Amino acid sequence: MCGIAAQHRTDSTPDLDAGTRMLLALAHRGPDDSDHRTVGEHAWLGHTRLSIVDLDGGRQPLTAPDGWSLVCNGEIYNHEQVRAELGGAVFGTASDSEAALALLRTGGPAELHRLRGMWALCAAAPDGRFVAARDPLGIKPLYWARRGAAVHFASELRAFPAEVQDAVESFPPGCYWTPEAGVVRFATAVPAADPAVWEGIAPEVAEKATREALVDSVRRHLMADVEVGVFLSGGLDSSLVAAIAAEHCAERGRRLKTFAVGTEGSADLLAARAAAEHLGTEHHEAVFTAREAIEVLDEVVASVESFDASLIRSAVPNWFLSELASRHVKAVLTGEGADELFAGYSYYHAEHATGLDAELVRTLEELHGLNLQRCDRVTMAHGLEARVPFLDAEVIAHATALPAAYKALEPDGMEKGHLRRAFTGWLPEELLWRRKEQFGTGSGAQDLLSPYWADRVPDADLAAAADALGVRTKEELAYYRVFRRALPAVRPDRVLTRFATA
């Protein structure tokens, strides 16, 4: 995991001073190293590194013998397969990112669909060729600002020079950009699915396939030359990830590290403790108070780069969790994405009982600007990499192909019954069938934050801001003010996705 910045200019040479400032703004994303390079007459690439794979040889920008250079943020889990498929291609490092560089050099940006993982990249050649691209789901962030003949790219909004902040936009997932072709889509977030594939198949067969898909993904996401832990909330999704990872570590003579957070006595903290005890992990906890939650709000909002109230509520406990985990590991697995794949939220069933598949696809496609943005920013603020095995391309393809009936509520109203049955025996029944609580609720954060603003933001302020700024609650207005202080010129309509309700 890293931070990247880049410039492409056709009117002059790149602005090296601006590039240096962009890299400094991203230092938290890559505390281990930083470097940059001018490529040809028109491009500049910068990189801050958190060393996860090929600790000694993976420094970026990576450069090929023909002068092509690349900076990449993220992880490419099938890089060994890509290397094997390219046969005669020459590799100078063991870095997973070099597989992306090799594809660009041998087949061009249309070949990027072969990469499996979470990544955003910029690459340039001495002859003026330039490519920027982002993974199909947008797990890793990438923004850009186009002004005249200059184009800037960066991993976070805060990195852009003040003079172009008002032009910054979110770079579209599953797309690449070149100066010649513009924006070109190379992959979709969710592949076309044919639920008829599963018609007439016994539920037990589908459950086995779901289990195998997730087990394979978790094991693949443990790829690293450093230790990888798990964020464990005690809910179904993170507990399943922890169970698979714990088994994998045990096979290799290691003990998995797990991390939980909450207010004293909160539901998530207690459930995570029980799951860790059952799995035999080395478990660590962070307990936060109301005072501490309020004290970090400005930092959290500025880091998440959003003012959506639901996002900030869940980001606050994640802040303390990331701070804790970063003292022990460099990377963690999370349970993000399971609810969007297997219909874990109650509104899916209350409002979309018909048309469920379409709503699941819609929310998956918006994740890059919501939960994935929160997950990336809060962890990277502490130099920690977060990986999301539920959002592996093969897991997404499998889950979205399952008929909607497999994602319907159980007779007692329990959600995700199919996923729970797929892992019968992996967890105690009381954890396997624990009812869903959103992270901001289960950790105790919502009870601390939502009421806090009732008497602190005047009614008149909200009434004036609701129409002018589109904020919906006093809490959201408070976060908007922090957002605006951190990013005074950024246009929220160009860079933010928001939950349907605050």
Side-chain angles (χ1 to χ4, degrees), residues 13 93 102 117 153 167 170 211 297 304 335 343 483:
T13 57
T93 75
F153 299 86
S170 179
R211 181 173 62 254
L297 272 175
V304 176
F483 172 89

Side-chain angles (χ1 to χ4, degrees), residues 218 228-246 255-263 266-288 317-318 320-322 324-325 329 331-336 374-375 379 384-387 389-390 426-428 431-432 434 436-439 442-443:
V218 170
V228 179
V230 172
F231 278 175
L232 180 59
S233 72
L236 174 68
D237 312 327
S238 66
S239 295
L240 292 181
V241 170
I244 299 167
R255 191 180 180 199
L256 178 70
K257 289 184 172 73
T258 53
F259 306 93
V261 67
T263 55
S266 59
D268 278 1
L269 209 59
L270 297 176
R273 197 175 298 165
E277 183 176 356
H278 173 77
L279 298 173
T281 68
E282 180 186 316
H283 192 57
H284 302 266
E285 295 180 350
V287 178
F288 64 93
N318 262 271
F320 295 108
L321 185 60
S322 299
L324 168 68
V329 296
V332 292
L333 307 187
T334 84
E336 300 287 351
R374 180 257 303 151
C375 181
T379 52
L384 180 71
E385 174 177 282
R387 300 179 174 185
F390 272 102
W426 286 68
L427 295 168
L431 292 175
L432 188 65
R434 182 190 175 206
K436 169 76 179 173
E437 283 190 90
Q438 291 191 29
F439 187 51
S443 66

Side-chain angles (χ1 to χ4, degrees), residues 218-230:
V218 170
R219 288 175 175 260
R220 188 162 54 252
H221 280 68
L222 289 167
M223 174 201 80
D225 294 331
V226 297
E227 194 169 8
V228 179
V230 172

Side-chain angles (χ1 to χ4, degrees), residues 13-30:
T13 57
D15 184 339
L16 300 186
D17 288 339
T20 299
R21 292 193 299 272
M22 293 176 79
L23 276 189
L24 286 173
L26 297 171
H28 54 280
R29 296 186 68 91

Side-chain angles (χ1 to χ4, degrees), residues 66 72 277 306:
D66 59 3
C72 183
E277 183 176 356
S306 173

Side-chain angles (χ1 to χ4, degrees), residues 167-227:
V168 177
E169 299 176 290
S170 179
F171 191 88
C175 294
Y176 68 79
W177 177 85
T178 65
E180 300 78 21
V183 175
V184 178
R185 177 163 296 283
F186 67 86
T188 58
V190 183
D194 180 11
V197 170
W198 291 100
E199 289 181 3
I201 303 296
E204 295 81 6
V205 175
E207 290 159 11
K208 180 175 182 291
T210 294
R211 181 173 62 254
E212 290 175 346
L214 184 59
V215 168
D216 179 66
S217 177
V218 170
R219 288 175 175 260
R220 188 162 54 252
H221 280 68
L222 289 167
M223 174 201 80
D225 294 331
V226 297
E227 194 169 8

Side-chain angles (χ1 to χ4, degrees), residues 281-304:
T281 68
E282 180 186 316
H283 192 57
H284 302 266
E285 295 180 350
V287 178
F288 64 93
T289 65
R291 178 183 60 80
E292 290 169 330
I294 298 302
E295 285 177 350
V296 301
L297 272 175
D298 282 15
E299 273 189 286
V300 170
V301 173
S303 293
V304 176

